[in-house]
Amino acid sequence: MRMAFVGAQCVGKTTLIKALLTMYPNYKFYDEVVRKLSKEKKLPINEHAEDYDATQTIITNAHLTNAAESAYIHSNAFFDRCIIDSDSFGKYLYQKNKMSSEAFRYTEMVLLLIFNYFPYDAVVYIPPKLDLVEDGVRDTNYDFQTAVDSVIAQNIEVLSHQYDKVTRFYILESQDLTERVTEVRKLIK
């Protein structure tokens, strides 16, 4: 099963996936591309980017690469973020006039490309319920998290109606890690 975990920053996606990997060691882990690219390529992210078009396009391309690779090579995979996150951040930035219409349309096209040609088997949306934790990379602004989460929730709502025949969409309600793992394991079975 190819399962993508979606949500604003600091909702527990990485922590949950790392716990799941101890039970599913044969699963490929597609690490969180935003944090990885931010560190490796010194890309400023969230509210700190200088060129949102470039940053979002590079992140979007990484999601496309991961989705395509997993469709052909890794039938069992966990994605720490996916194209829904990139599209949602892009939509947020576009609405704030921080991203061009061309870059935003590109992200939208890649989202459609992935869902039509490399769809995830399941998307697990994690709404923000945990405290924001400073890690030197992610934004800890609650207003920013809430605004981005609102766009993610809207995207999930729309996509769950359009692609429900190929992708299962699930909202993770629990806050406790053990309960979250149990919920996700039920989806995998």
Side-chain angles (χ1 to χ4, degrees):
M1 171 173 279
R2 297 168 57 247
M3 183 176 286
F5 292 84
V6 177
Q9 74 277 19
C10 301
V11 296
K13 296 178 298 292
T14 306
T15 302
L16 174 58
I17 293 170
K18 287 182 177 177
L20 289 165
L21 285 170
T22 65
M23 294 167 232
Y24 300 95
N26 62 324
Y27 270 60
K28 166 76 172 161
F29 174 42
Y30 286 95
D31 201 359
E32 205 271 298
V33 299
V34 177
R35 220 176 312 161
K36 182 178 176 184
L37 289 170
S38 175
K39 288 178 183 175
E40 288 178 4
K41 305 214 184 280
K42 307 267 189 252
L43 273 178
I45 60 169
N46 297 331
E47 297 182 296
H48 310 293
E50 295 168 16
D51 182 351
Y52 289 105
D53 286 3
T55 299
Q56 286 303 120
T57 300
I58 291 166
I59 291 167
T60 295
N61 288 340
H63 288 304
L64 175 58
T65 298
N66 289 348
E69 177 186 286
S70 71
Y72 292 109
I73 300 172
H74 304 288
S75 60
N76 291 321
F78 293 129
F79 297 83
D80 188 346
R81 292 199 178 275
C82 73
I83 190 61
I84 297 171
D85 296 279
S86 186
D87 182 69
S88 299
F89 277 97
K91 195 170 287 178
Y92 169 82
L93 294 168
Y94 178 69
Q95 290 168 350
K96 297 285 183 186
N97 295 315
K98 294 182 176 183
M99 187 173 176
S100 71
S101 61
E102 294 81 11
F104 175 61
R105 280 197 313 269
Y106 176 75
T107 301
E108 293 266 284
M109 289 188 321
V110 171
L111 179 134
L112 296 173
L113 177 73
I114 289 173
F115 271 89
N116 284 293
Y117 294 97
F118 316 114
Y120 309 100
D121 297 311
V123 171
V124 178
Y125 164 56
I126 306 175
K129 296 182 180 185
L130 305 174
D131 291 333
L132 292 171
V133 177
E134 175 63 50
D135 67 358
V137 179
R138 297 175 292 183
D139 201 306
T140 55
N141 177 334
Y142 280 102
D143 292 335
F144 177 68
Q145 183 194 50
T146 301
V148 169
D149 177 68
S150 175
V151 179
I152 293 171
Q154 291 169 6
N155 263 358
I156 293 291
E157 178 69 23
V158 170
L159 292 167
S160 68
H161 293 293
Q162 291 177 327
Y163 295 100
D164 64 335
K165 294 198 178 15
V166 292
T167 301
R168 289 187 301 166
F169 290 84
Y170 187 77
I171 299 172
L172 198 65
E173 295 295 342
S174 59
Q175 288 179 270
D176 177 74
L177 180 59
T178 303
E179 291 174 14
R180 285 180 168 190
V181 167
T182 301
E183 282 185 66
V184 172
R185 290 188 75 195
K186 288 177 184 174
L187 290 173
I188 294 172
K189 291 181 181 180

